[in-house]
Amino acid sequence: MTFIKYSHVRFSVITVFLCLFMSASFAQQGRQSVIRGTIKDADGEPVENANVFIKNSRIGTQSDRNGDFFLRVVPGTLTFCVHYIGYVPFEQQIEIKPNEHRHLQIKLEELTTSLNEIVVEAKSPVQRVKESSFNVVAIDAKSMQNTTLDLAHAMSRVSGVKIRESGGLGSDLHFSLNGFSGRHVKFFLDGVPMEGMGASFQINNIPVNLAERIEIYKGVVPVGFGGDAIGGAVNIVTNQKRRTFVDVSYSYGSFNTHRSSVNAGYTAKNGFMIELNAFQNYSDNSYWIDNAVKDLETGQINSNRVERIKRFHDTYHNETVILRTGVVNKPFADRLIVSLNTGKSYKETQNGVRQDIVYGQKHNKGETLMPSLQYVKRDLFVEGLNVNLTANYNKNLTHNIDTATYEYNWRGESKYNNGKLGEQNYQDAKYENKNGNTTFTANYRADEHHSFVLNSVLSSFNRNTRSTPNDANITATDTMPKTSLKNVAGLSYRLNFDNRWNVSVFGKHYLQYSKGPKDVSADTGHPKYEIFSETFTAMGYGIAGTYFWKDFQGKLSYEKTYRLPTDNELFGNEELERGSTGLKAENSDNYNINLSYSKDFDKTHFVYIDAGYILRNTKDYIRRVTDSYSGKYYASHINHGYVRNISLEGEIRYSYRNIITAGVNATSQNIRDNEPETMGMSASTTYRARIPNIPYFFASGDVEVVWRNFVRRNNHLSFGYNSNYVHEFPLYSERHGSSSKRVVPSQFSHDVSLTYTIANGRYNITAECKNLTDEKLYDNFSLQKPGRAFYVKVRYFMNFFN
């Protein structure tokens, strides 16, 4: 009760302070005039991040993503200016009367001079995101579109980010951000939650070509996303500008890996648009690993005899098509788009959650169908009020097949298993997941100092089981209802003062209703399932601020946040993960401090240094564990009481002109069990010990060298190098006996690439070598990942001007 009272007092003090400050600010601004308007290019497209200012004054701002701007000025004769890279500078002398509200429509004309002769004055969307009050890193995905990277591995070069996989292409992925992994981190596509989008549309199979930039929020997550993230969030931003283009690529590489994508769009002058995004991935995943092999005659595994063996049952492929059509830049809507996302996937299961468990026939299939609607309108009813509404319905069908009567070992040898059906547990059933999501965001910009954001996300989940005629093993739990309903609503206020500092304060309301089977038996060998339902509600809040001083930027934030259990955590995936109905929502107090320095020396040398500190005190931490059930190993989730996470990270980047770019980053994370007692109320043997199976120190580095106009004008050759280091970490708790003191060894891997672009990027060819030194790489529960691999990618890109 003391903590609750203290939290309410702290929130009240913050609210009262901001209300008083807002009153003073509005009173001061009442004596000024206003210039507002919209900036567009020759095609009528909004121009984002244009520099808008009054000549010979310190009054200035930048246009937002809708091209809108707002300036509060002193009455009189003024010279109004708009500058943006690649366009003719706009200047106009205007007479502003006291208390006048002037609205301007600015149309910029494109420059015809060479880009090398233009002075860069505007800030890119990536820079604008970095300079917000939130601890966020923005990745320019366009710079990676000639590589074979998917979205997940494009993020692996960011400090604090660790990508953990159970194998090769299409394997289960756990995304870790400053020590919090898996579902502690939420993913969004253009601000819409990606939960339930199906196996064919996940971040480790979506090509980087789909994105324009990737935003990684490490601390407080803005209200505008409406998610329940406790460990950060990732927003994948696609290019939604009006354009006509074609982008086609294909790559081939080791382990018979094929990846291709087709992105094309057409926008007519009357506003009609149609866009196609399609991609596929295929791999045999037939890489070599080192493991002991089971003798099928004796049933024994000699752990002292490790063999070099090749994976033989790990094929994966997926195909996805996204079709969008609608209208843009109409009086009734800036974007009114309907889309259809459909996809299929096929995945063979080579091993279980532990590498000594081998399968030879077990596999699953998946299908996804998702229609969606997007409506965007600027200045709805009043100037400065922008709304964005998206709605989608996602139907996923998963078919798990485990009907074999044979047992396999790592050599691919098989033995008849005495008529026993199923390698793990007999299955031949289809599971239908139905997901619905509605996201509404209203952003009101009162003036250049004050803005508000209202967001509400409503999502639903329902799973049905459909057995095949021969499947007599459907259990009572399979036919029991599995439903979940979530709503996260938030309101935030932002104060921006003189472009030197800004602060945001916000509140969130969380609601979840879940219903599904729960084991109520005390005998683990004889479970008894009953329908269990629960409703959870809570309030969260936070504050984030940033201050600019010369070439330095400081950020400080606090958040009281909750994370609601996901559908897979509650109900499992009907394969290698068991459900844990009754999981409590995690709640956490998160603190973040960040300091960065950036300096451009004579447009020649650029230096960027960033350091951050993150503290998370989490209660009812949801942790993924393995357990044995009916003689088989599964993964499941438990609430682990109190966990404290202290993370330190740093990054240094340097660039010389447009020739050399280099960077290095490192992350140290200390995640400790802060629960003094076990569930049985006895003293915990792991109190203040590290949480096992989580890396606590890792680093990465990269270098890129570009030879411009190589061989001929407008052709460029670039060489890239990336390295990744992970220090050894315990597989099990370091407090347990010597028999369990297994560790995942230290790993240091290297990747190199060579790219040649022709005709300023119209034709591109890239050769890559991943894991150059053939390092043994491990992740979850010591599952070995691919060794050295080679890939070649060709890409054609053409942008047509309407």
Side-chain angles (χ1 to χ4, degrees):
M1 291 297 293
T2 303
F3 173 76
I4 295 175
K5 290 179 180 178
Y6 173 69
S7 299
H8 282 288
V9 169
R10 177 171 51 188
F11 183 61
S12 300
V13 170
I14 293 172
T15 305
V16 170
F17 171 77
L18 285 172
C19 288
L20 291 174
F21 197 94
M22 287 168 59
S23 300
S25 300
F26 279 124
Q28 231 180 12
Q29 295 160 11
R31 298 187 293 271
Q32 295 178 316
S33 301
V34 169
I35 301 175
R36 70 191 313 161
T38 303
I39 304 170
K40 295 185 178 181
D41 61 17
D43 294 324
E45 277 296 298
V47 177
E48 182 182 6
N49 299 308
N51 287 330
V52 183
F53 60 96
I54 303 301
K55 198 171 185 177
N56 299 323
S57 79
R58 298 186 61 185
I59 300 173
T61 185
Q62 286 188 325
S63 57
D64 62 19
R65 67 182 58 190
N66 300 314
D68 297 332
F69 65 89
F70 188 106
L71 284 177
R72 197 171 290 277
V73 299
V74 178
T77 302
L78 311 172
T79 302
F80 174 80
C81 305
V82 178
H83 288 187
Y84 188 67
I85 183 172
Y87 293 86
V88 177
F90 177 90
E91 294 190 6
Q92 180 181 344
Q93 194 172 74
I94 56 178
E95 183 74 26
I96 298 295
K97 299 177 182 179
N99 298 318
E100 180 182 358
H101 285 243
R102 180 75 61 89
H103 192 280
L104 301 176
Q105 292 287 342
I106 309 299
K107 183 177 180 180
L108 297 183
E109 297 180 5
E110 197 169 349
L111 273 175
T112 57
T113 56
S114 170
L115 184 63
N116 294 328
E117 300 172 6
I118 301 171
V119 177
V120 178
E121 297 180 14
K123 294 180 180 179
S124 69
V126 170
Q127 290 172 306
R128 182 179 59 83
V129 170
K130 288 181 178 179
E131 292 181 0
S132 71
S133 59
F134 300 94
N135 184 8
V136 55
V137 174
I139 303 173
D140 184 6
K142 297 190 298 295
S143 64
M144 302 180 181
Q145 290 179 351
N146 287 329
T147 71
T148 61
L149 293 174
D150 50 48
L151 292 177
H153 292 88
M155 293 183 276
S156 64
R157 303 171 184 180
V158 175
S159 62
V161 173
K162 187 75 181 74
I163 304 298
R164 309 186 67 190
E165 295 176 286
S166 59
L169 181 64
S171 63
D172 293 336
L173 176 138
H174 290 268
F175 180 92
S176 174
L177 182 58
N178 295 114
F180 277 49
S181 61
R183 289 131 190 164
H184 299 99
V185 182
K186 296 296 182 181
F187 291 87
F188 300 85
L189 181 66
D190 292 322
V192 178
M194 290 182 65
E195 286 186 60
M197 287 193 173
S200 62
F201 198 78
Q202 297 299 312
I203 62 169
N204 61 332
N205 60 29
I206 302 175
V208 72
N209 300 62
L210 188 70
E212 182 176 65
R213 71 177 183 271
I214 306 171
E215 302 168 354
I216 303 175
Y217 292 84
K218 298 182 180 181
V220 173
V221 178
V223 160
F225 292 115
D228 56 331
I230 203 171
V234 174
N235 184 35
I236 300 160
V237 182
T238 62
N239 192 332
Q240 296 192 359
K241 294 180 180 178
R242 172 179 174 174
R243 58 183 186 149
T244 300
F245 71 101
V246 174
D247 188 350
V248 182
S249 65
Y250 169 76
S251 68
Y252 173 76
S254 299
F255 322 122
N256 195 26
T257 301
H258 305 258
R259 310 183 81 163
S260 60
S261 68
V262 176
N263 301 294
Y266 168 75
T267 304
K269 291 184 177 181
N270 63 3
F272 170 77
M273 66 83 65
I274 186 168
E275 186 171 308
L276 172 70
N277 306 109
F279 60 89
Q280 65 82 217
N281 302 278
Y282 176 92
S283 182
D284 290 338
N285 286 317
S286 52
Y287 59 91
W288 295 86
I289 65 169
D290 302 280
N291 208 81
V293 179
K294 183 177 184 178
D295 187 325
L296 295 180
E297 296 301 323
T298 64
Q300 300 298 312
I301 300 177
N302 185 356
S303 58
N304 295 321
R305 184 184 175 185
V306 176
E307 298 183 22
R308 184 77 166 165
I309 48 184
K310 192 175 186 179
R311 298 174 72 91
F312 62 91
H313 181 69
D314 204 13
T315 296
Y316 169 83
H317 66 83
N318 79 290
E319 301 81 31
T320 299
V321 177
I322 307 169
L323 182 65
R324 300 184 180 94
T325 187
V327 293
V328 297
N329 299 331
K330 291 292 186 179
F332 56 88
D334 293 288
R335 284 180 65 86
L336 180 58
I337 307 296
V338 293
S339 63
L340 182 66
N341 182 337
T342 181
K344 291 185 176 182
S345 65
Y346 172 87
K347 184 178 184 299
E348 295 175 349
T349 305
Q350 177 71 92
N351 53 267
V353 295
R354 290 171 43 174
Q355 195 161 279
D356 55 358
I357 302 171
V358 186
Y359 304 127
Q361 296 186 40
K362 181 178 170 64
H363 64 281
N364 66 67
K365 304 175 184 178
E367 297 179 6
T368 298
L369 183 66
M370 184 178 74
S372 62
L373 171 71
Q374 180 190 34
Y375 175 78
V376 179
K377 183 70 178 75
R378 300 194 304 268
D379 299 326
L380 180 68
F381 305 132
V382 295
E383 283 187 315
L385 177 61
N386 303 327
V387 298
N388 190 330
L389 174 67
T390 61
N392 63 61
Y393 172 78
N394 193 350
K395 183 177 179 181
N396 298 321
L397 183 64
T398 301
H399 187 185
N400 292 335
I401 302 170
D402 185 6
T403 59
T405 56
Y406 287 83
E407 180 184 9
Y408 289 82
N409 66 13
W410 273 117
R411 298 192 193 101
E413 300 168 344
S414 61
K415 177 187 176 183
Y416 183 67
N417 204 12
N418 299 321
K420 177 183 176 298
L421 293 175
E423 298 177 84
Q424 181 191 28
N425 186 34
Y426 181 84
Q427 274 189 307
D428 189 10
K430 296 180 179 180
Y431 301 89
E432 187 178 72
N433 294 337
K434 298 177 181 179
N435 300 271
N437 178 277
T438 302
T439 301
F440 173 78
T441 304
N443 189 324
Y444 178 63
R445 188 180 183 186
D447 53 38
E448 76 270 32
H449 295 297
H450 306 278
S451 60
F452 303 84
V453 176
L454 173 68
N455 177 276
S456 179
V457 177
L458 179 65
S459 57
S460 62
F461 171 85
N462 181 65
R463 177 181 293 165
N464 295 319
T465 300
R466 302 189 310 193
S467 61
T468 60
N470 297 325
D471 192 351
N473 286 269
I474 293 295
T475 65
T477 61
D478 293 323
T479 57
M480 287 181 176
K482 301 178 180 72
T483 61
S484 174
L485 181 68
K486 294 182 184 180
N487 177 241
V488 181
L491 176 65
S492 73
Y493 162 72
R494 177 179 176 179
L495 174 64
N496 182 32
F497 188 78
D498 197 25
N499 287 329
R500 295 194 64 183
W501 64 269
N502 63 73
V503 63
S504 297
V505 62
F506 60 89
K508 289 183 180 181
H509 180 263
Y510 303 85
L511 168 68
Q512 181 177 35
Y513 169 79
S514 59
K515 182 179 181 181
K518 182 179 181 181
D519 183 6
V520 296
S521 173
D523 185 356
T524 57
H526 298 84
K528 179 184 178 182
Y529 289 94
E530 295 181 358
I531 294 295
F532 176 84
S533 63
E534 184 177 28
T535 301
F536 171 84
T537 61
M539 285 294 300
Y541 48 86
I543 185 170
T546 185
Y547 181 78
F548 296 90
W549 181 72
K550 294 185 178 179
D551 299 314
F552 293 89
Q553 181 185 9
K555 297 182 180 182
L556 182 66
S557 63
Y558 163 78
E559 180 181 30
K560 175 67 175 180
T561 185
Y562 292 81
R563 186 181 78 84
L564 310 176
T566 65
D567 308 321
N568 271 1
E569 289 171 337
L570 290 172
F571 310 122
N573 66 358
E574 313 296 346
E575 189 181 11
L576 297 178
E577 289 198 8
R578 299 182 63 211
S580 304
T581 309
L583 276 176
K584 299 178 183 178
E586 297 174 309
N587 68 86
S588 184
D589 292 278
N590 298 339
Y591 304 83
N592 177 263
I593 301 173
N594 183 265
L595 180 65
S596 62
Y597 168 82
S598 59
K599 181 69 173 178
D600 192 345
F601 298 91
D602 300 323
K603 305 295 181 182
T604 302
H605 303 274
F606 176 78
V607 175
Y608 175 79
I609 303 174
D610 181 88
Y613 169 86
I614 297 175
L615 169 64
R616 291 188 176 98
N617 286 319
T618 304
K619 182 181 179 183
D620 294 323
Y621 175 75
I622 297 177
R623 180 182 158 207
R624 187 175 186 264
V625 297
T626 57
D627 56 16
S628 177
Y629 177 76
S630 299
K632 304 294 182 182
Y633 283 94
Y634 296 84
S636 60
H637 296 83
I638 61 171
N639 286 112
H640 192 73
Y642 291 91
V643 170
R644 167 171 286 196
N645 178 13
I646 297 176
S647 179
L648 297 171
E649 61 181 36
E651 180 177 12
I652 300 175
R653 299 205 65 83
Y654 166 78
S655 64
Y656 173 71
R657 295 187 185 271
N658 291 323
I659 300 174
I660 298 176
T661 302
V664 62
N665 66 72
T667 301
S668 173
Q669 52 195 28
N670 191 2
I671 309 174
R672 299 276 176 173
D673 181 354
N674 232 28
E675 180 64 46
E677 297 178 338
T678 64
M679 296 181 64
M681 303 305 290
S682 59
S684 173
T685 60
T686 60
Y687 179 49
R688 292 187 175 174
R690 290 186 190 275
I691 298 295
N693 197 35
I694 296 179
Y696 58 86
F697 180 80
F698 51 91
S700 65
D702 64 271
V703 177
E704 183 181 33
V705 181
V706 180
W707 291 270
R708 302 195 178 276
N709 299 314
F710 187 80
V711 179
R712 61 181 299 177
R713 185 174 175 80
N714 295 327
N715 293 0
H716 313 299
L717 179 69
S718 62
F719 169 79
Y721 165 78
N722 293 278
S723 62
N724 200 332
Y725 173 78
V726 181
H727 192 65
E728 68 176 26
F729 56 95
L731 188 57
Y732 303 105
S733 176
E734 54 194 4
R735 294 285 179 83
H736 289 168
S738 58
S739 61
S740 298
K741 287 188 178 297
R742 295 177 56 191
V743 298
V744 177
S746 296
Q747 303 157 56
F748 192 23
S749 61
H750 312 267
D751 303 337
V752 293
S753 65
L754 193 66
T755 300
Y756 188 56
T757 67
I758 303 172
N760 273 334
R762 179 175 296 183
Y763 309 97
N764 310 269
I765 182 168
T766 300
E768 295 180 347
C769 177
K770 297 184 178 180
N771 194 3
L772 178 65
T773 57
D774 203 22
E775 180 83 3
K776 292 181 180 180
L777 304 178
Y778 301 90
D779 259 334
N780 298 312
F781 302 103
S782 282
L783 298 177
Q784 194 169 342
K785 299 198 298 182
R788 181 167 46 235
F790 299 93
Y791 301 92
V792 175
K793 178 177 179 177
V794 291
R795 175 178 176 239
Y796 171 81
F797 175 78
M798 182 63 181
N799 196 15
F800 302 90
F801 297 97
N802 294 340

